[in-house]
């Protein structure tokens, strides 16, 4: 049995989009969630509002699912994009979904916004979702967990399909100049899956994915792992910590930028915790075994 430690997601200290920010920028919704220029404008406004050291895109966790064919409601300034209807009820339907076309749709607009912000000199965090978060857009989670428990070989096929999509998304992000790629899968956390299935996810999906990302990630980008993912890798003895001395106390986000090229992975804290300080000047890299 694995010894995976759970991480409580209580560190999202962004205040959301304030009415003052919306009024000052004149941003319109839902266009802000769909067009690259509005996305970039909103990302800059949120960065300034939160006094952050980086811009963040996208503003939801439905991007990949929508690009695979998911049905999405875009929402407004109060409620962002979310699932409208599930489009799959069987594993066959999930496996038959077409590959993501990164040249069209909201996922293309997101990459354009990232490129624009990077060309303006901004550090950009691109949030990429894990398999259960993606599938949560496509199918009722009860169907997914049933497949996992009763037909692990079919689940492996689904994992393989999504692994290819995530790996390609990482590659497309690098082409757009993204220097900070955040990975999380809260829907597939220990608190939801339990220890046994969580260990299986690491073996079947997470570890193989990150070994491939390790090979493709260039020295101008870094992967920021959700601590839930970090502790899953550590708990299954697939990774170890490595201390990197930055030399001075610094904010976690700034520290992540400073160690680009010195490690492929970090993940001791949620990147959304903008107040977290590396008080001893040490950031922990993650080395895969």
């Amino acid at each position: 049995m694995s010894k995976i430690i759970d991480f409580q997601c209580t560190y999202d200290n962004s205040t959301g989009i304030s009415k003052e920010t919306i009024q000052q920028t004149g941003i319109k919704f839902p266009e802000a969630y769909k067009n690259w220029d509005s996305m970039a404008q909103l990302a800059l406004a949120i960065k300034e509002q939160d006094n952050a050291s980086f811009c963040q895109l996208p503003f939801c966790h439905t991007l990949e699912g929508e690009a695979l064919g998911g049905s999405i409601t875009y929402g407004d300034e109060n409620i962002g994009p979310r699932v409208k209807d599930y489009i799959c009820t069987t594993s066959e339907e999930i496996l038959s979904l077409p590959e993501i076309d990164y040249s069209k749709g909201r996922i293309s607009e997101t990459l354009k916004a990232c490129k624009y912000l990077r060309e303006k000199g901004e550090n950009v965090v691109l949030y990429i979702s894990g398999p259960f978060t993606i599938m949560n857009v496509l199918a009722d989670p009860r169907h997914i967990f049933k497949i996992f428990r009763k037909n692990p070989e079919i689940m492996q096929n689904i994992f393989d399909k999504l692994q290819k999509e995530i790996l390609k998304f990482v590659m497309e992000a690098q082409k757009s100049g993204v220097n900070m790629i955040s990975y999380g899968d809260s829907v597939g956390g220990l608190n939801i899956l339990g220890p046994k299935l969580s260990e299986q996810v690491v073996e079947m999906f997470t570890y193989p994915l990150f070994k491939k990302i390790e090979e493709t990630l260039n020295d101008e980008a870094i992967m920021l792992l959700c601590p839930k993912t970090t502790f899953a890798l550590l708990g299954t003895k697939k990774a170890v910590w490595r201390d990197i001395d930055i030399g001075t106390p610094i904010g976690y986000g700034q520290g992540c930028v400073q160690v680009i090229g010195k490690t492929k992975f970090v993940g001791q804290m949620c990147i959304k915790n903008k107040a977290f300080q590396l008080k001893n000047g040490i950031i922990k890299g993650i080395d895969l075994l």
Side-chain angles (χ1 to χ4, degrees):
M1 186 65 68
S2 65
K3 298 179 181 178
I4 300 174
I5 300 171
D6 199 12
F7 179 83
Q8 299 300 317
C9 293
T10 59
Y11 295 104
D12 187 356
N13 55 7
S14 173
T15 57
I17 312 171
S18 71
K19 292 182 178 179
E20 292 76 13
T21 297
I22 295 170
Q23 291 172 353
Q24 289 172 7
T25 59
I27 295 172
K28 303 297 182 183
F29 293 85
E31 287 75 14
Y33 299 129
K34 299 166 66 176
N35 304 322
W36 75 264
D37 50 349
S38 296
M39 289 181 193
Q41 186 181 4
L42 182 57
L44 286 167
I46 293 175
K47 176 199 171 187
E48 181 177 354
Q49 170 193 286
D50 292 349
N51 193 28
S53 58
F54 51 82
C55 294
Q56 310 167 69
L57 286 165
F59 310 113
C60 67
H61 297 291
T62 64
L63 186 65
E64 299 95 323
E66 181 191 30
L68 283 164
S71 176
I72 302 299
T73 295
Y74 286 110
D76 53 28
E77 64 269 28
N78 298 311
I79 302 177
R82 60 199 184 280
V83 180
K84 182 179 180 181
D85 297 299
Y86 292 129
I87 64 168
C88 298
T89 57
T90 66
S91 58
E92 289 81 7
E93 289 176 334
I94 296 174
L95 290 169
S96 66
L97 292 172
E99 294 181 359
I100 293 175
D101 184 347
Y102 291 89
S103 68
K104 66 180 184 180
R106 186 159 60 106
I107 202 162
S108 173
E109 295 295 304
T110 301
L111 290 170
K112 289 177 185 176
C114 289
K115 184 177 181 180
Y116 169 80
L117 291 168
R118 286 293 292 144
E119 289 175 348
K120 285 181 64 68
E122 298 288 344
N123 292 309
V124 176
V125 173
L126 176 67
Y127 292 107
I128 289 183
S129 296
F132 289 96
T133 301
I134 295 173
M135 287 186 284
N136 193 49
V137 177
L138 304 170
D140 189 318
R142 291 175 296 180
H143 295 319
I144 302 301
F145 296 139
K146 183 177 180 180
I147 294 169
F148 198 1
R149 293 188 179 93
K150 293 191 174 183
N151 298 288
E153 68 285 353
I154 295 178
M155 195 68 198
Q156 184 66 72
N157 293 334
I158 295 173
F159 278 154
D160 290 346
K161 176 183 178 67
L162 296 179
Q163 184 185 115
K164 290 178 183 178
E165 293 294 354
I166 293 172
L167 187 60
K168 188 171 181 184
F169 198 7
V170 169
M171 296 171 68
E172 293 294 329
Q174 290 187 100
K175 290 179 185 178
S176 298
V178 174
N179 61 335
M180 303 167 76
I181 304 171
S182 176
Y183 175 91
D185 196 18
S186 59
V187 180
L190 176 67
N191 59 318
I192 296 175
L193 296 180
K196 183 178 179 180
L197 290 183
S198 293
E199 185 174 2
Q200 285 183 255
V201 171
V202 173
E203 294 284 349
M204 296 168 67
F205 183 88
T206 313
Y207 182 68
L209 170 67
F210 285 117
K211 288 298 285 186
K212 291 177 182 177
I213 288 177
E214 187 177 39
E215 296 174 0
T216 59
L217 200 67
N218 61 43
D219 290 336
E220 297 177 358
I222 193 169
M223 289 290 298
L224 317 174
L225 306 189
C226 166
K228 285 180 176 286
T229 301
T230 299
F231 291 141
L233 289 167
L234 295 172
T236 52
K237 301 187 185 305
K238 297 296 186 183
V240 293
W241 294 118
R242 172 166 56 92
D243 287 350
I244 303 174
D245 190 353
I246 297 175
T248 183
I250 196 172
Y252 184 61
Q254 294 169 307
C256 291
V257 174
Q258 289 206 15
V259 296
I260 293 175
K262 298 178 181 179
T263 182
K264 299 285 187 179
F265 307 102
V266 293
Q268 72 198 78
M269 180 49 63
C270 176
I271 190 61
K272 293 180 180 180
N273 183 0
K274 302 174 184 69
F276 184 73
Q277 294 288 312
L278 300 165
K279 295 181 180 179
N280 59 0
I282 300 290
I283 192 169
K284 290 184 175 296
I286 301 167
D287 291 340
L288 301 177
L289 299 176

